[in-house]
Amino acid sequence: MSQQQRTPWIVGVSGASGTPFAAAVLRGLLAAGESVDLVVSRASRLTLLDETGISFRDAHWQEDLAGWLARGADGKPHTFDTDVSGVRHWAAGDLAAGPSSGSYPAKGMLIVPASTACVAGVALGLSKDLLQRTASVTLKERRKLVVAVRETPLNGATLRHLVSLDEAGAVVLPASPAFYAGATHIQDLVDFVAGRVLDAAGVPHQLYRRWEGELGGGSRG
């Protein structure tokens, strides 16, 4: 009997500030029992180093990923205990990687966070690295693409690129936390955004308190 085919979610991490958002999404996917293919852009490695002190290395990606996902949004290590065995890593410069082809099985792609440069590259179909190429493949195969843009303010060019992505079928999801869920910690705000990304992907989670139509419910939670 043949082994069941692995069909992962592809998570792309671009160079925008907001690596805690990516970590929370990755933890949420793994907690839901999803397989994950991970593409960490070259620019995002600089951001990750700046925001967490972690150097993400292709040769030691499992160790580095485990250390990253263990950190809380406040930077404290050993906050989470996450099994990363369900993750497969692809180097950002490997344009022959599995996700570069439409025949590679995948449920869809989540770009968290998405920089304006990444948004432009995907909207214009530049495919300058594996992250952009995979996003283009996701669109052409009519799979789910969620773009969690993390930038402010947005200029006209970026707004036009976002409209192009929306018209192409992507979900444009600004990394904008809400406060009705009764956030008391920075991790709560990060988890709200991560939860909305997972909502858009149709992945179940319990990352935030949902609105139930009761005013003041969050303050009493």
Side-chain angles (χ1 to χ4, degrees):
M1 183 178 295
S2 62
Q3 188 177 11
Q4 186 176 5
Q5 186 179 56
R6 179 180 181 275
T7 308
W9 282 99
I10 301 169
V11 176
V13 186
S14 80
S17 176
T19 55
F21 294 128
V25 167
L26 288 165
R27 287 193 297 264
L29 288 170
L30 294 171
E34 299 285 348
S35 296
V36 175
D37 277 20
L38 178 63
V39 181
V40 180
S41 76
R42 290 172 179 171
S44 71
R45 299 176 193 221
L46 297 176
T47 307
L48 183 63
L49 179 62
D50 182 56
E51 293 183 346
T52 70
I54 293 174
S55 297
F56 193 91
R57 304 158 294 176
D58 289 335
H60 303 279
W61 69 268
Q62 287 178 308
E63 174 187 348
D64 297 336
L65 177 62
W68 175 23
L69 298 191
R71 286 179 176 265
D74 57 4
K76 292 181 180 178
H78 312 302
T79 300
F80 299 99
D81 184 12
T82 304
D83 180 3
V84 299
S85 61
V87 180
R88 184 174 185 177
H89 168 258
W90 300 95
D94 185 5
L95 291 177
S100 69
S101 171
S103 66
Y104 184 80
K107 292 183 178 179
M109 184 177 188
L110 316 175
I111 304 179
V112 188
S115 66
T116 55
C118 174
V119 166
V122 176
L124 297 174
L126 298 183
S127 295
K128 74 168 188 175
D129 61 9
L130 181 61
L131 195 159
Q132 292 184 13
R133 170 61 185 167
T134 302
S136 295
V137 167
T138 301
L139 288 175
K140 80 180 183 67
E141 296 295 325
R142 303 297 191 265
R143 296 169 183 160
K144 179 76 73 176
L145 175 64
V146 181
V147 181
V149 60
R150 215 305 309 158
E151 190 71 69
T152 190
L154 299 174
N155 63 23
T158 298
L159 291 170
R160 287 188 287 273
H161 292 148
L162 291 172
V163 169
S164 295
L165 290 177
D166 176 78
E167 292 174 342
V171 175
V172 176
L173 195 152
S176 303
F179 295 85
Y180 61 77
T184 59
H185 192 277
I186 186 174
Q187 189 67 53
D188 298 328
L189 299 176
V190 168
D191 284 347
F192 179 88
V193 172
R196 295 299 287 151
V197 171
L198 296 178
D199 285 345
V203 176
H205 66 87
Q206 295 182 339
L207 287 176
Y208 68 88
R209 174 188 175 277
R210 297 184 181 278
W211 175 251
E212 297 178 347
E214 181 184 0
L215 292 177
S219 62
R220 295 192 297 272

